[in-house]
Structure formats: structure tokens, C-alpha cells
Amino acid sequence: MRHRIAVIGGGPAGLTFARVLHRHDHPVAVFERDPGPDARPPGGTLDLHEGLGRLALEKAGLLAEFQELSRPEGQAMRILDTDGTVLRDWLPRPDDRANPEIDRGQLRDLLLGPLDVRWGRGVTQVVPGARDGVQVHFADGRQETFDLVVGADGAWSRVRPALSPVTPHYTGVTSIETSLDDVDTRHPDLARLIGDGSMAVYGVNRSLVAQRNSGGHVKVYTKFRAPLDRHPNLDLADVEAVRSSLLALFDGWAALVLDLLRQGTAFVHRPLYVLPVSHTWTHVPGVTLLGDAAHLMPPLGVGANLAMLEGAELAESIATAPGDLDGTVRAFEEQMWARAGKWAEITAAGLERLVSPDPTEALALFDEVQPS
Ligand SMILES: Cc1cc2nc3c(=O)[nH]c(=O)nc-3n(C[C@H](O)[C@H](O)[C@H](O)COP(=O)(O)OP(=O)(O)OC[C@H]3O[C@@H](n4cnc5c(N)ncnc54)[C@H](O)[C@@H]3O)c2cc1C
């Protein structure tokens, strides 16, 4: 039986879902708002965990290609005090493949492979309950009807209102990120400071993390507590004004650490929003959610992993038990809610400790989760 299935969103959740269905020769329509794969910078690096993102890639038949592209050395993690003293310097063993890193753009291209994504097809609304299926309304005025519509359209999902009135709320923590290119040749001292993986510094209610991507690209993430309506009045187009605000905020930190901000190019402003822990909804036949659309969490290294695993699991269940589509989706939702609820609690508590009045909390968290 061939159901008419649409997935809205071509992020990690939507692409993994589509790729696993494709592997099982089940047709799926992928609708993505972006006009093309390179319409926006793809973002930073992701570590894919055993049993989560890596399991999803296995279900998609892509593990070998992932291993070719990924960077196990990127698991390295160094923590400095605000004065530059090295507090922890963790290096993976040569055979350690627990959480290898991959650039988001590489992961996207790997998942895209043969998929025929319909780019530039932003969805405005999903209406379940029609006699012939679920209606999808597009920004270009068109409408299409499907047996199942999967909302994988991220934090500000346009599918979610068909299931739940809940919207994301601000965590009280804002992130501003910047990036540097060719660090090994242009900024060798900063390249040494970061090492092969990540370098983090935790201060009072603020943090700075620098992460190496492939090709000498580095992303720098600052996080700090600020009320949403009193963000440093940031005109992000004025790069120098943002830089000055950040340098003032991190005043007194080691000069080399602050050089990451001095040398950073454009700045991206990300107030961190989340959905309530254990967000669920009353099941509606023909519509479901995956990934951030279902359970937006603080960015603590698990959101993309869960999104991918959910996509892979739902697709596999549909492909292997096609007779009872609604029962399959119901069972999937129960499983997703239980697992995502636990991670939402862990990441909410983690954010409190990583951007904390007591910076030793961040170090303690690292010691709890990092293998010795
Ligand atoms: C700075 C940062 C670092 C992170 N690091 C990690 C990490 O190391 N590991 C990890 O596991 N997670 C990480 N995360 C979290 C991770 O990025 C997300 O959880 C993950 O991207 C969620 O995937 P998704 O497919 O559900 O949503 P998204 O990645 O948001 O993808 C949604 C897609 O839907 C499209 N879309 C949106 N609206 C519409 C519409 N109306 N119609 C059609 N298409 C639409 C969007 O263009 C997008 O392509 C990080 C997040 C941030 C912000």
C-alpha cells in the first residue's frame, strides 16, 4: 500500500525521514521553504551520538559515508578559566568513535543524496479532517492533499498549530555567534587555543565556546543571561557595535579568548527558545511532528540527534507495517514523547548549569558527562 505522505521541512528530521522512506522505495514529498540547499549558511558542526543520530544514519544506509566525512578528533574538549588557565583538556583515544563531529552542510548533502526536495515551497497552514485527507496550504497559494503530513519544520513550525496551541518561550539565555575562517593560517595562536575540537570558558552567567568545523572554519558561540526586551540594543548589521557590546560583556577575560571576538566576522543573534518539557498533544489522524517542531530544547548537543532518530524510526515503521498508518503514527508519538521528555529535562537543567551564577557548575557538569 502506498500512502500519500508529505514531510514539511528539509532539516535533519525531515531529510532523515524522507531518506529512510526512499530506502524502502516508499514515495514521499519533501517541501522546504528555502529556495535551495545553499540559500542560507548551513550552520556549525554537529556531534552524532551512538544510538541516536548514528543509529538514524544506519537506518538510512549512510553510516559508511558518514564515517568517511566525520571528524572523530573533533570530540576533543578543552575548558579554560576566564584568565586562560587550562582546567580540563580531554582528548579522544585514537579509536574513539562515540560522538564524531560533522559539518551541518556535509550532513545535509549526505541526507539529500537522491531526494527530490521541492524547494521554495513554504507551508502556511495544515488542515486535517477533510474527507480526502489532510490539506497543506502553501505560501504560493497552492494546496495539496495527503494521507499523512509530517511537520519537521523546526522551532516556529506552521504544522504544529494543527495539533497544539503551544508556542516556544524564551529561556532567559541569548546566544550571539560569530565565525573565523582559515584559522590555521590566519590565526595560528587561536587555532592552538581551540585544538582539534572545542574550547569552552565559563564565567558568571555567561560562556564562550569555540568549535572547529572542517576546513579551518571556527564557530564561536557566546551565551549570556538577558531579558528578551533588554538585549544589548543590537544592530547586527553594525558588526563593530556588536563586537564592542560583546567585548564589554566579557571584559576581564583572557586576551587570547577575547581575540576570538575581535577577529570574528559577521554576528548572528539567537535568543534561545524552548517548548515546555514533555510537550505532547491529543493525537490527530493524518498529522504528526518530528524534531524541534515537537520538542524544541536548549542547544546542548542532542536536538539534531533526536530529530534524525525520530525521522528514521517513523519512516521505518511506516515502510515495514504499511497496513495501519494511523496506529503506526500513534505508537511512534508515544515513543517520541517518552524519550524527548527525558532529554528536554536534561538539557533544561544543563543550560541552567552552563550559564550559571556559579561557573564551577559547568565544570562539574563536564566531569559528570565526559568519559575519563
Ligand atoms: C547553535 C546551535 C548548535 C547546535 N548544536 C547541536 C549539536 O551539536 N547536536 C545536536 O544534536 N543538535 C544541535 N543543535 C540543535 C539542532 O540544530 C536542532 O535540534 C535540529 O536542527 C532540529 O532539526 P529539525 O529538522 O527538527 O529542524 P530544523 O533544523 O530547524 O529544520 C527545519 C527545516 O524546516 C524548514 N521550514 C521552516 N518553516 C517551514 C515552512 N513553513 N515550510 C516549509 N519548510 C519550513 C526550515 O527552512 C528548515 O530547513 C544546535 C542548535 C543550535 C542553534
Side-chain angles (χ1 to χ4, degrees), residues 3-7 17 134 146-150 284-288 314 318 325 329:
H3 304 288
R4 296 168 301 165
I5 298 178
V7 60
F17 174 73
V134 179
F146 296 91
D147 300 314
L148 175 65
V149 175
V150 176
V284 173
V287 189
T288 193
L314 179 59
I318 292 171
L325 184 61
V329 174

Side-chain angles (χ1 to χ4, degrees), residues 8-13 31-34 40 45-47 104 121-123 152-154 158 177 221 270 290-292 299 301-305 307:
I8 315 304
F31 295 104
E32 166 57 51
R33 184 180 53 191
D34 285 346
R40 305 179 268 137
T45 177
L46 293 170
D47 59 329
R104 239 175 228 269
R121 298 292 309 278
V123 166
D153 50 343
R158 301 301 287 264
E177 63 185 64
Y221 304 97
R270 274 187 218 287
L290 300 177
D292 282 3
V302 80
N305 278 272

